[in-house]
């Protein structure tokens, strides 16, 4: 009996733990989502490894050329009928060691080029971070307000379902017309169909959010808004936003660093046109005059035909192209900041024109509407019109709030800063 009771307790404990795990919902604020994003996002992790790879190029650039060791031995002496003899009387061998020395500062120029490559990788990482963070914030608010819209539909479905049950009962008693019941049923079907479409979109939003945060596909999430940011875009001058973008945008820094990379590459390619020198020390037992010959040699190619003309020209073209790309990025930056700023002002103005008590007053109105309809103070057509107006206004309010927060996130994105929390 003791063993059975122990096993029963263990089974109930495990069952409770499994039930708790399955029913657990992760409550997630935007700041918590950003922390998960920085820690778990696969694209960011992969891009960070690219920085490590670029740093490895610096190690390679700092290394000196390896010396070359050469040795040659008499393989077979046909006079003594022996192999690999090394004695002075019957053998012969020769050896040399040489070292290549790079001239014209090629090593230092390679190091500087590799260091610039690290900067390029870092700015690519920061630009990816800027883009993905905007996607995260946008996905967060889009998911949150979509979930609020789904709740609106669910509330309407619940109240309409109760209304339908009451009308079914009244129909059986002969107090209402069948056409009124059919209209309520039609309303309920439409509400469920529209909610199903929203739920499909909401699941896609949750999928994007989970991927950005590195969460499991089966994770259950409940989004919570952080404290409201009272800073309004109209309080910030456009010139300040533009200056912030010019100072902080990683893509502009990337374009400028690309120009520096090409300039340093041109210096390196010009240096590559200057030949390197190889100095060697050799010893030969009997193959030279005099015997036991020791020699010092020098080897240098003559730049008669190839003077690295092609790579020098490519580097010059790269400088020109990088300069054009900087102008393009500056024009793109100005247009993006201007457009985002105008959009943000428009959304803020529209949001400010909405009465703060609108949502509460409308909810009170709809509760009274249902009571009046049940008391037959208003007709079914009036009820349906007002009911649909309530739904549409609530959905539009959620959409406006999303667009307002989205344009604030976009201002952070286009300025490369964190102006709005």
């Amino acid at each position: 009996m003791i063993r059975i009771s122990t096993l029963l307790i263990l089974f109930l404990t495990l069952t409770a733990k499994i039930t708790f795990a399955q029913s657990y919902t992760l409550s997630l604020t935007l700041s918590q989502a950003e922390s998960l994003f920085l820690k778990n996002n696969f694209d960011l992790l992969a891009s960070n490894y690219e920085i490590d790879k670029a740093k490895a190029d610096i190690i390679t650039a700092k290394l000196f050329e390896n010396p070359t060791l050469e040795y040659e031995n008499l393989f077979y002496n046909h006079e003594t009928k022996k192999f690999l003899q090394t004695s002075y009387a019957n053998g012969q061998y020769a050896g040399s060691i040489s070292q290549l020395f790079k001239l014209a500062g090629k090593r230092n120029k390679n190091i500087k080029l590799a260091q610039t490559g690290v900067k390029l990788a870092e700015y690519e990482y920061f630009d990816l971070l800027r883009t993905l963070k905007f996607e995260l914030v946008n996905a967060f608010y889009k998911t949150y307000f979509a979930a609020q819209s789904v709740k609106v539909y669910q509330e309407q479905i619940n109240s309409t379902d109760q209304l339908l049950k009451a009308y079914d009962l009244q129909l059986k008693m002969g107090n209402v017309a069948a056409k009124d019941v059919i209209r309520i049923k039609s309303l309920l079907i439409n509400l469920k169909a529209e909610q199903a479409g929203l739920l499909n979109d909401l699941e896609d939003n949750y999928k994007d959010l989970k991927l950005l945060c590195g969460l499991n596909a089966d994770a259950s999430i409940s989004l919570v808004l952080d404290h409201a940011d009272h800073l309004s875009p109209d309080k910030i001058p456009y010139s300040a936003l533009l200056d912030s973008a010019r100072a902080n945008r990683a893509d502009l820094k990337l374009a400028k660093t690309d120009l520096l990379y090409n300039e340093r590459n041109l210096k390196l390619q010009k240096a590559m046109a200057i030949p390197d020198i190889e100095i060697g020390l050799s010893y030969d037992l009997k193959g030279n005059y005099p015997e036991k010959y020791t020699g010092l040699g020098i080897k240098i190619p003559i730049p008669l035909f190839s003077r690295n003309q092609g790579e020098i020209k490519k580097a010059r073209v790269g400088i020109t192209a990088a300069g054009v790309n900087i102008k393009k990025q500056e024009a793109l930056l100005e247009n993006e900041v201007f457009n985002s700023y105008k959009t943000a002002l428009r959304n803020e103005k529209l949001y400010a024109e909405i009465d703060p008590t609108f949502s509460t007053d409308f909810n009170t109105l709809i509760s009274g509407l249902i009571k009046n309809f049940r008391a037959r103070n208003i007709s079914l057509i009036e009820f349906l019109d007002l009911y649909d107006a309530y739904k549409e206004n609530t959905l539009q309010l959620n959409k406006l709030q999303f667009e307002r927060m989205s344009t604030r996130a976009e201002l952070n994105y286009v300025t490369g800063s964190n102006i709005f929390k």
Side-chain angles (χ1 to χ4, degrees):
M1 286 295 293
I2 295 175
R3 287 188 62 189
I4 294 173
S5 61
T6 303
L7 289 172
L8 181 61
I9 292 171
L10 180 61
F11 172 76
L12 291 173
T13 303
L14 290 172
T15 304
K17 286 182 177 180
I18 293 170
T19 303
F20 174 77
Q22 290 175 343
S23 61
Y24 177 72
T25 300
L26 176 63
S27 182
L28 201 63
T29 63
L30 180 57
S31 57
Q32 290 169 336
E34 288 176 349
S35 297
L36 289 172
F37 159 74
L38 292 172
K39 181 181 177 182
N40 300 327
N41 186 267
F42 297 114
D43 291 324
L44 278 185
L45 293 173
S47 182
N48 197 38
Y49 288 129
E50 293 299 320
I51 299 175
D52 293 335
K53 286 168 63 177
K55 288 179 179 178
D57 289 335
I58 298 178
I59 297 173
T60 303
K62 288 181 177 180
L63 298 175
F64 291 95
E65 295 293 326
N66 292 322
T68 302
L69 179 64
E70 186 177 350
Y71 177 80
E72 183 179 337
N73 201 104
L74 174 67
F75 180 66
Y76 178 71
N77 190 331
H78 63 279
E79 294 177 354
T80 62
K81 312 296 184 184
K82 292 183 179 179
F83 291 91
L84 302 176
Q85 288 185 295
T86 59
S87 66
Y88 179 76
N90 301 308
Q92 158 63 11
Y93 61 86
S96 67
I97 184 169
S98 61
Q99 176 68 51
L100 179 69
F101 294 93
K102 291 185 174 181
L103 303 181
K106 292 187 185 74
R107 178 173 173 272
N108 288 334
K109 289 179 174 65
N110 259 313
I111 292 172
K112 287 182 178 180
L113 190 67
Q115 289 171 341
T116 311
V118 173
K119 284 292 182 184
L120 285 174
E122 287 175 345
Y123 287 136
E124 285 175 354
Y125 172 83
F126 290 127
D127 192 47
L128 177 65
L129 174 62
R130 179 179 72 99
T131 302
L132 291 178
K133 188 175 179 181
F134 170 64
E135 290 182 12
L136 172 73
V137 176
N138 211 42
F140 182 92
Y141 285 120
K142 190 175 184 180
T143 305
Y144 175 82
F145 288 111
Q148 299 307 305
S149 295
V150 168
K151 287 181 181 179
V152 171
Y153 274 97
Q154 191 58 52
E155 290 170 1
Q156 282 201 317
I157 288 170
N158 292 339
S159 59
T160 305
D161 189 51
Q162 292 175 4
L163 187 63
L164 178 61
K165 290 177 181 177
Y167 259 67
D168 276 333
L169 183 61
Q170 292 295 319
L171 179 64
K172 292 176 182 177
M173 298 170 61
N175 296 330
V176 295
K179 63 178 182 179
D180 292 342
V181 176
I182 293 173
R183 284 181 178 176
I184 297 173
K185 285 182 178 179
S186 177
L187 172 63
L188 186 60
I189 292 171
N190 287 335
L191 288 172
K192 288 182 177 180
E194 290 176 9
Q195 187 196 41
L198 276 180
L199 283 170
N200 291 336
D201 293 338
L202 183 60
E203 287 301 321
D204 289 338
N205 295 338
Y206 275 125
K207 177 201 69 176
D208 295 339
L209 196 59
K210 290 173 186 176
L211 282 172
L212 287 165
C213 294
L215 296 173
N216 293 332
D218 58 351
S220 180
I221 304 174
S222 175
L223 302 185
V224 180
L225 288 186
D226 290 321
H227 65 279
D229 192 341
H230 299 293
L231 181 63
S232 180
D234 57 2
K235 303 298 182 183
I236 306 172
Y238 168 70
S239 58
L241 295 175
L242 196 57
D243 290 341
S244 177
R246 287 170 176 161
N248 299 315
R249 282 274 290 260
D251 55 345
L252 182 59
K253 292 180 180 180
L254 180 64
K256 291 180 178 179
T257 306
D258 185 52
L259 175 61
L260 176 62
Y261 184 89
N262 281 279
E263 289 172 345
R264 288 184 171 179
N265 185 46
L266 177 61
K267 291 179 181 179
L268 174 62
Q269 296 308 323
K270 285 182 177 179
M272 293 296 287
I274 299 172
D276 299 324
I277 186 171
E278 186 176 351
I279 298 176
L281 183 66
S282 62
Y283 176 82
D284 195 317
L285 183 64
K286 291 192 297 184
N288 265 306
Y289 180 82
E291 294 182 345
K292 298 183 180 179
Y293 168 84
T294 302
L296 179 66
I298 184 170
K299 186 190 295 185
I300 183 168
I302 300 173
L304 185 60
F305 304 110
S306 174
R307 295 183 299 277
N308 207 34
Q309 300 96 318
E311 294 301 320
I312 291 173
K313 184 174 181 179
K314 282 169 61 178
R316 284 175 174 156
V317 172
I319 290 174
T320 305
V324 172
N325 190 45
I326 289 175
K327 292 179 180 178
K328 172 194 167 185
Q329 289 298 326
E330 288 174 342
L332 180 66
L333 178 149
E334 291 178 9
N335 278 278
E336 286 181 348
V337 173
F338 181 81
N339 184 64
S340 298
Y341 185 61
K342 289 296 182 182
T343 305
L345 291 180
R346 186 165 51 251
N347 286 336
E348 290 292 332
K349 183 175 181 294
L350 183 58
Y351 185 78
E353 291 172 353
I354 298 175
D355 188 346
T357 61
F358 170 79
S359 181
T360 305
D361 291 345
F362 218 83
N363 288 332
T364 304
L365 175 64
I366 203 67
S367 299
L369 177 66
I370 294 173
K371 290 179 181 178
N372 278 304
F373 178 59
R374 285 177 176 173
R376 299 186 185 182
N377 294 329
I378 58 174
S379 68
L380 180 60
I381 293 176
E382 289 176 311
F383 170 77
L384 294 177
D385 287 343
L386 289 170
Y387 211 52
D388 188 60
Y390 161 75
K391 179 193 69 178
E392 291 300 325
N393 277 280
T394 307
L395 294 178
Q396 285 297 324
L397 183 59
N398 286 335
K399 182 181 177 183
L400 177 59
Q401 290 185 88
F402 160 68
E403 289 178 349
R404 174 173 172 260
M405 301 309 295
S406 178
T407 50
R408 288 183 172 209
E410 190 173 341
L411 278 177
N412 285 343
Y413 169 72
V414 297
T415 56
S417 56
N418 198 26
I419 298 172
F420 300 99
K421 306 297 182 182

